[in-house]
Amino acid sequence: MYLGLDLGTSGLKGMLIDAEQNVLAIADAHYSVSNPHDGWSEQNPRDWIAAVEDIFAKLNAAVPSKMSALKSISFSGHMHGAVLLDKNGDILRPCILWNDTRSAKQAADMDNQTAFREISGNIVFPGFTAPKLAWVQDNEPEIFLQLAMVLLPKDYLRLWLSGNNVMDMSDASGTSWLDVGRREWSSDLIPASKMRREQLPALCEGTDITGNIRSDIAQKWSLPKSVKIVGGGADNAVAACGVGVFREGEGFVSLGTSGVLLAARNGFHPAPQTAIHSFCHAIPDAWYQMGVILSATDSLNWLSKITGKSAAELAGSVNAAAPSSVRFSPYLSGERTPHNDADIRGAFTGLGIGTETSDLAQAVMEGVAFALRDNYEALKSTGANLQSLIALGGGAASQYWVQILSDLLDLRIEVPKEGAFGAALGAARLAMIGAEKANPIDVLNKPEIAKVILPRSKFQASYEDAYQKFTMTYPKLKAMQ
């Protein structure tokens, strides 16, 4: 039996699978995000530990005989978060999350040093880990002086489960401290951000065994003492493992809280000027590139709060055959790809006296799709050649939304059959690969596909025209700031 733990921004999912990858049980636990100031996003790492214990309790109650045969555990986790520990392993402050933008100045200062882009292969974004530490040094120097170890969120779970400070390559790629091409910590970038090598954990591949479960945890939850803890990876890399995306030409689009367009790559092809992320994959000798928009379904959730209608109700109200005359720029939390702008904010244009809620919903869904088309153009400029995409995330339940994307990207999009796939399954698969020393090719198969969405040629011209108008919006919004 193999357990995948998917540490998300709002909750933890645990998925138990057997050697044939049958899903035996799934459990969820939830926790909150704190936003004490505008642009801040924090979480208490102790809440993650409580969530793991909740998961163990639920799985033990559901399938006790299966849990007693558990062989390994691995992880998926939200990237870039900074968990700061002192010399005793105690937490110094709440974790600063991936969508926290307070360190925009520090990120810009680092990005102006040519070594960061040249060695890491990426822009230093405000959400990355290194500028968060620079912000702490500038604004909370008493905490920075006590700093002994920096971990990413999922790796704090690893520390609690095994007692080992280890980080995998895919997650380390988003710190701005990794030489992503060489898959090793950079002796130049670490001191350039006023950090020391001993403040960073050991590195591993996502399929490596990094230790065994602590005996006291095994005893408490009636688990074998031989349970292996396997590397795991960053959420999108592990989601790619969950849907079998690891070869050149394969990719997925995720309509989740944020939006992601990911392309698997056989080599390292950095192009930081595009604001595309170029990261190590969660399996050895593989990389991936992705564009990220910060507000995908979050944009629809925002509209839901404003209108009092559920996101599902809003999405269901739209069934238009042509693009809306209302335009929406989905920059509610700033934007990553392609603009790298933490300060830009969203807008509606084209509103009229007759504009209705359904028009706003359509504009929001189209705006997200247009922003993902921006990502696609940036990906293509790096040499990525996607043949088709798999659709993931809650927004993929809307055939209308996926169809717009297919029309705009001119790509076949496959929607998996409802059920278990994505990051939790990917983590369980990594646990299996690590424990069994299996070949990833034999484990990372693709999910069963429920429907295939093809581009509609008769609508592509109108969506192309709408997209070109959308591209003119950002510079005008920027000029008004």
Side-chain angles (χ1 to χ4, degrees):
M1 307 303 159
Y2 313 94
L3 176 61
L5 294 174
D6 175 22
L7 182 73
T9 309
S10 59
L12 179 72
K13 175 179 285 186
M15 179 180 293
L16 189 68
I17 67 171
D18 63 16
E20 285 72 45
Q21 299 195 38
N22 298 307
V23 177
L24 306 176
I26 298 175
D28 295 283
H30 300 279
Y31 35 77
S32 61
V33 174
S34 173
N35 306 107
H37 303 286
D38 184 40
W40 289 34
S41 184
E42 299 183 340
Q43 217 155 45
N44 184 348
R46 295 180 185 86
D47 292 344
W48 308 333
I49 302 306
V52 175
E53 298 210 87
D54 190 14
I55 294 291
F56 282 163
K58 289 175 177 175
L59 293 177
N60 266 335
V63 286
S65 63
K66 306 299 184 184
M67 287 293 282
S68 66
L70 184 64
K71 194 165 187 180
S72 57
I73 300 172
S74 193
F75 316 89
S76 163
H78 47 86
M79 297 183 74
H80 315 308
V83 182
L84 311 187
L85 306 178
D86 67 13
K87 62 182 181 181
N88 298 316
D90 293 329
I91 299 166
L92 288 168
R93 68 168 332 281
C95 174
I96 307 175
L97 297 181
W98 62 275
N99 55 350
D100 188 294
T101 58
R102 76 184 76 177
S103 62
K105 177 184 179 300
Q106 289 79 9
D109 290 344
M110 289 180 179
D111 197 52
N112 285 332
Q113 301 177 51
T114 57
F116 278 94
R117 291 195 184 192
E118 288 179 356
I119 297 172
S120 76
N122 292 276
I123 289 174
V124 183
F125 288 91
F128 281 17
T129 316
K132 290 179 169 68
L133 270 295
W135 183 92
V136 172
Q137 183 176 20
D138 292 343
N139 294 275
E140 298 174 346
E142 71 287 354
I143 289 177
F144 190 82
L145 287 173
Q146 299 176 68
L147 178 66
M149 179 62 61
V150 181
L151 292 176
L152 297 183
K154 76 169 193 333
D155 299 313
Y156 185 70
L157 297 186
R158 183 199 319 279
L159 173 63
W160 179 77
L161 282 167
S162 69
N164 296 323
N165 287 316
V166 184
M167 186 184 299
D168 82 287
M169 300 293 179
S170 67
D171 232 354
S173 298
T175 63
S176 292
W177 291 314
L178 191 76
D179 184 327
V180 177
R182 294 179 179 272
R183 302 174 90 97
E184 62 186 30
W185 289 126
S186 169
S187 58
D188 295 317
L189 299 185
I190 294 170
S193 59
K194 299 180 181 178
M195 294 287 290
R196 304 187 308 276
R197 171 63 188 86
E198 61 266 27
Q199 293 173 311
L200 302 181
L203 287 170
C204 72
E205 294 289 353
T207 54
D208 288 345
I209 294 172
T210 62
N212 283 14
I213 196 168
R214 284 169 33 203
S215 59
D216 58 322
I217 295 176
Q219 182 177 5
K220 180 177 180 180
W221 297 108
S222 301
L223 304 174
K225 292 182 180 179
S226 59
V227 171
K228 306 297 183 187
I229 307 300
V230 177
D235 49 6
N236 287 298
V238 180
C241 292
V243 292
V245 170
F246 60 97
R247 302 174 184 87
E248 187 82 27
E250 298 174 339
F252 72 71
V253 59
S254 175
L255 289 168
T257 302
S258 59
V260 173
L261 188 61
L262 181 147
R265 304 303 304 268
N266 291 340
F268 182 49
H269 305 284
Q273 71 279 3
T274 65
I276 285 290
H277 300 320
S278 299
F279 291 159
C280 299
H281 211 313
I283 59 174
D285 303 317
W287 286 260
Y288 69 97
Q289 290 179 302
M290 68 178 181
V292 177
I293 67 172
L294 294 178
S295 298
T297 58
D298 229 17
S299 293
L300 204 57
N301 292 336
W302 166 81
L303 186 63
S304 172
K305 294 177 186 176
I306 297 299
T307 62
K309 295 187 176 183
S310 71
E313 186 179 1
L314 289 169
S317 71
V318 181
N319 191 25
S324 174
S325 59
V326 180
R327 298 276 180 269
F328 176 70
S329 301
Y331 310 136
L332 301 180
S333 300
E335 195 54 292
R336 282 205 188 172
T337 312
H339 304 303
N340 184 29
D341 191 338
D343 297 322
I344 194 69
R345 290 297 179 264
F348 279 110
T349 59
L351 298 173
I353 195 69
T355 300
E356 298 181 350
T357 302
S358 60
D359 299 314
L360 299 180
Q362 181 182 350
V364 165
M365 297 171 82
E366 289 176 354
V368 168
F370 293 148
L372 286 167
R373 167 69 183 274
D374 276 348
N375 283 219
Y376 185 49
E377 295 301 321
L379 270 174
K380 287 194 295 184
S381 73
T382 73
N385 183 24
L386 287 165
Q387 303 301 309
S388 64
L389 294 169
I390 294 176
L392 304 176
S398 168
Q399 182 166 334
Y400 173 79
W401 214 344
V402 177
Q403 183 66 69
I404 295 174
L405 281 169
S406 178
D407 293 343
L408 274 168
L409 306 182
D410 194 26
L411 285 174
R412 166 194 176 103
I413 300 181
E414 300 174 337
V415 181
K417 184 177 180 180
E418 186 176 355
F421 58 88
L425 177 59
R429 286 175 162 184
L430 291 174
M432 178 190 295
I433 293 169
E436 305 300 342
K437 296 182 170 52
N439 188 331
I441 293 174
D442 297 330
V443 176
L444 305 183
N445 46 41
K446 293 194 172 174
E448 185 178 351
I449 299 302
K451 64 181 74 170
V452 175
I453 309 296
L454 299 174
R456 302 171 300 179
S457 57
K458 66 179 180 180
F459 294 112
Q460 286 182 286
S462 60
Y463 277 115
E464 181 64 25
D465 179 64
Y467 168 68
Q468 293 302 326
K469 292 175 180 175
F470 170 84
T471 63
M472 295 186 287
T473 307
Y474 172 79
K476 293 180 180 179
L477 287 176
K478 187 66 176 174
M480 291 189 293
Q481 284 189 330

